[in-house]
Amino acid sequence: MFTAADHDHMARALELAALGLNSTTPNPRVGAVIVKDGRVVGEGWHRRAGEPHAEMLALAQAGAKARGATAYLTLEPCSHFGRTPPCVRSLIDARIARVVAAMEDPNPRVNGQGLTQLREAGIDVRCGLLQAEARALNPGFVSRMARGLPWVRMKVAASLDGRTALRNGESQWITGEAARADGHAWRARSCAILTGIGTVRDDDPQMNVRLVETDRQPLKVLVDSRLEVALEASLLRAGRVLIACAIDNPGKEAELRDRGCEILKLSDARGKVDLPALMRELAARQINELHVEAGFRLNGSLLREDCVDELVIYLAPALLGDAVGMFDLPPLDDLERRRKLSIVSVDRVGDDIRIVARVEGRG
């Protein structure tokens, strides 16, 4: 169904799409390559919401050479008006002869309609080439469209024996500089960074992207059931902050709003922040990928509530012994109840090991 040349051109389209890794939110990362008589005549990638889509940029570069050409697209072209016109119409008007798409668009407003319109216009349409790679590039967009939830990635830095902090709270720094910079790269691609009041109280983190270049700072999300955050906390000094709480405290709320914070009340039956409801709310706010850097208690709560899709764990070549662990989870009396994970990758980052694992059944 697909030739070696098809694979090569789609691989190039995926490379282009990845250039928008940190900038396209809430839109998906998309690349496009237009090929005529075996030669690339146009390329494009979506840079940020509101700017031209990848197909439009590739068509503009190809010009008249697009007639009779093949377009390789990492995502089904849009068939509706949004901030920009539908790309399907432009492909038809350019007299493209063949379209190869990596995957259908999970957006209910598209979801196959774009490919159908291309076929109805007499264009040879094929779909599914390097689909797994295309989905892996947009886990958050796919999750938000298909499940109404962001893709939640939890980052943990620990010793080889799985300890994240000493009993006195000291935790900086267990891993090395390379691992910390790599962690900021994961932050940069995310739409929001979530932490808990315990981490803010113990470490006073800024919760922003500093160690890699970025022109966009993610939204900061703080889980703080009783609104205990100090007004002088570093994460309140700059950037957008959403604080999820479970109580009414009009005076503290007013002070936090004066500092530009938004307060969101989501209480569960225990008087804690309703974490699943928070995930749904973040998806409604067009958060695709949520990056979590929290303490073992909130980490455990998110896992218990089935709010986590992926783990990024850095293991340092050190042993801490009797210290704080990664997750506060209840003991098991049956191994069949263990939480199963699928290992995505294991890499060395500086002197540390990075393991990326997904909750079984996700992705």
Side-chain angles (χ1 to χ4, degrees):
M1 182 177 180
F2 298 113
T3 67
D6 288 336
H7 280 82
D8 290 342
H9 293 311
M10 185 62 78
R12 173 56 181 165
L14 287 165
E15 286 180 3
L16 292 168
L19 295 175
L21 191 68
N22 299 346
S23 62
T24 64
T25 181
N27 290 354
R29 299 135 182 161
V30 182
V33 174
I34 297 177
V35 178
K36 177 76 171 288
D37 298 328
R39 295 179 61 250
V40 173
V41 295
E43 292 186 339
W45 55 280
H46 185 48
R47 288 164 170 79
R48 57 182 55 83
E51 295 190 9
H53 289 185
E55 301 94 321
M56 305 299 288
L57 293 169
L59 286 171
Q61 189 177 102
K65 294 177 182 177
R67 187 183 182 112
T70 296
Y72 295 88
L73 313 175
T74 61
L75 184 70
E76 173 186 6
C78 62
S79 55
H80 63 283
F81 280 90
R83 298 189 193 184
T84 57
C87 295
V88 164
R89 189 70 255 166
S90 296
L91 289 164
I92 294 171
D93 291 344
R95 304 294 180 88
I96 287 286
R98 180 172 178 250
V99 169
V100 179
M103 60 178 285
E104 288 189 1
D105 190 336
N107 186 339
R109 300 177 68 185
V110 184
N111 199 22
Q113 296 179 55
L115 299 181
T116 296
Q117 290 181 25
L118 292 172
R119 291 188 177 104
E120 290 174 346
I123 296 174
D124 178 10
V125 177
R126 310 293 173 88
C127 187
L129 178 59
L130 300 185
Q131 179 173 259
E133 291 82 351
R135 289 179 66 89
L137 194 59
N138 286 296
F141 181 77
V142 172
S143 176
R144 182 165 65 85
M145 292 298 162
R147 302 188 299 160
L149 297 169
W151 181 264
V152 181
R153 181 180 295 115
M154 179 179 288
K155 176 254 183 180
V156 182
S159 59
L160 201 57
D161 52 347
R163 305 300 178 177
T164 61
L166 302 181
R167 290 294 177 186
N168 63 10
E170 183 181 352
S171 63
Q172 298 179 339
W173 300 100
I174 292 175
T175 53
E177 291 183 7
R180 294 198 293 277
D182 191 67
H184 276 245
W186 289 100
R187 286 185 183 184
R189 65 174 286 168
S190 303
C191 308
I193 304 172
L194 181 145
T195 193
I197 185 59
T199 298
V200 172
R201 192 166 43 227
D202 293 342
D203 298 336
D204 193 27
Q206 297 180 57
M207 300 308 295
N208 57 13
V209 181
R210 301 183 305 281
L211 303 184
V212 298
E213 289 187 14
T214 184
D215 58 2
R216 176 190 62 87
Q217 287 292 340
L219 170 71
K220 302 174 188 179
V221 182
L222 173 62
V223 176
D224 183 6
S225 293
R226 294 186 290 274
L227 288 180
E228 298 174 301
V229 62
L231 298 178
E232 300 77 22
S234 294
L235 88 166
L236 302 184
R237 292 175 187 166
R240 298 174 300 143
V241 183
L242 173 66
I243 302 178
C245 67
I247 65 165
D248 288 314
N249 187 338
K252 186 66 172 288
E253 290 175 32
E255 291 178 312
L256 290 168
R257 289 193 179 99
D258 285 344
R259 283 163 172 74
C261 301
E262 181 181 355
I263 312 299
L264 180 65
K265 296 175 189 174
L266 294 170
S267 179
D268 63 15
R270 300 168 301 149
K272 301 287 188 180
V273 171
D274 186 329
L275 296 173
L278 176 58
M279 298 303 116
R280 293 191 294 271
E281 174 64 25
L282 291 174
R285 294 171 181 241
Q286 297 189 305
I287 299 298
N288 289 338
E289 295 182 24
L290 176 65
H291 181 89
V292 176
E293 292 192 27
F296 79 110
R297 289 191 177 86
L298 182 52
N299 284 350
S301 296
L302 287 163
L303 285 165
R304 287 195 303 273
E305 296 287 349
D306 197 28
C307 292
V308 180
D309 300 298
E310 188 171 56
L311 298 169
V312 178
I313 299 177
Y314 299 90
L315 294 178
L319 303 173
L320 297 187
D322 183 14
V324 179
M326 291 189 278
F327 317 110
D328 181 18
L329 294 172
L332 300 178
D333 54 14
D334 184 353
L335 276 176
E336 289 302 313
R337 297 175 57 202
R338 68 190 184 276
R339 298 171 188 275
K340 297 180 181 179
L341 306 173
S342 174
I343 301 296
V344 176
S345 62
V346 179
D347 297 286
R348 184 162 180 164
V349 180
D351 292 330
D352 305 310
I353 299 295
R354 184 190 67 202
I355 299 172
V356 179
R358 289 183 177 174
V359 174
E360 192 172 70
R362 303 288 170 81

